[in-house]
Amino acid sequence: EICACLVGSEMCIRDRRRSAEVRAERDELLLVTDRYMLADFPVAEDERELYRQYRQYLRDIPETPGFPDTEIMDFAAWREQS
């Protein structure tokens, strides 16, 4: 795939598109896990803490090496790996 770079240090169009796609996927996973952060949501505190850590993993994705060519793990896969 050809990456049409605009100017030396700027992200190329392909990277910007991929970055937007990864961020959208990440944002969707954050939205799905919002409820676990609510104080009155019925979940054990140790489970809530795992979701808090998972959400931090999601927020850190744009800073990971290789971004935007990064695979995002869902909670089950992340928990298994952690």
Side-chain angles (χ1 to χ4, degrees):
E1 179 173 294
I2 296 174
C3 185
C5 291
L6 301 174
V7 177
S9 65
E10 288 189 37
M11 259 190 194
C12 73
I13 294 169
R14 183 200 68 83
D15 285 349
R16 282 204 248 175
R17 185 176 297 126
R18 177 72 180 134
S19 175
E21 291 168 355
V22 171
R23 286 175 192 270
E25 180 182 352
R26 185 265 324 249
D27 292 349
E28 179 68 28
L29 290 168
L30 281 167
L31 184 63
V32 168
T33 60
D34 274 351
R35 63 184 173 194
Y36 295 98
M37 299 298 97
L38 299 173
D40 61 348
F41 187 77
V43 65
E45 284 305 311
D46 57 337
E47 188 81 1
R48 188 181 323 273
E49 177 59 22
L50 285 173
Y51 275 100
R52 188 196 63 73
Q53 293 172 22
Y54 174 66
R55 289 167 57 83
Q56 186 60 54
Y57 152 76
L58 293 173
R59 285 191 291 280
D60 291 343
I61 284 174
E63 309 306 320
T64 59
F67 182 83
D69 296 321
T70 306
E71 293 297 319
I72 299 178
M73 291 183 280
D74 63 15
F75 180 75
W78 175 85
R79 187 174 184 175
E80 197 172 288
Q81 185 177 351
S82 295

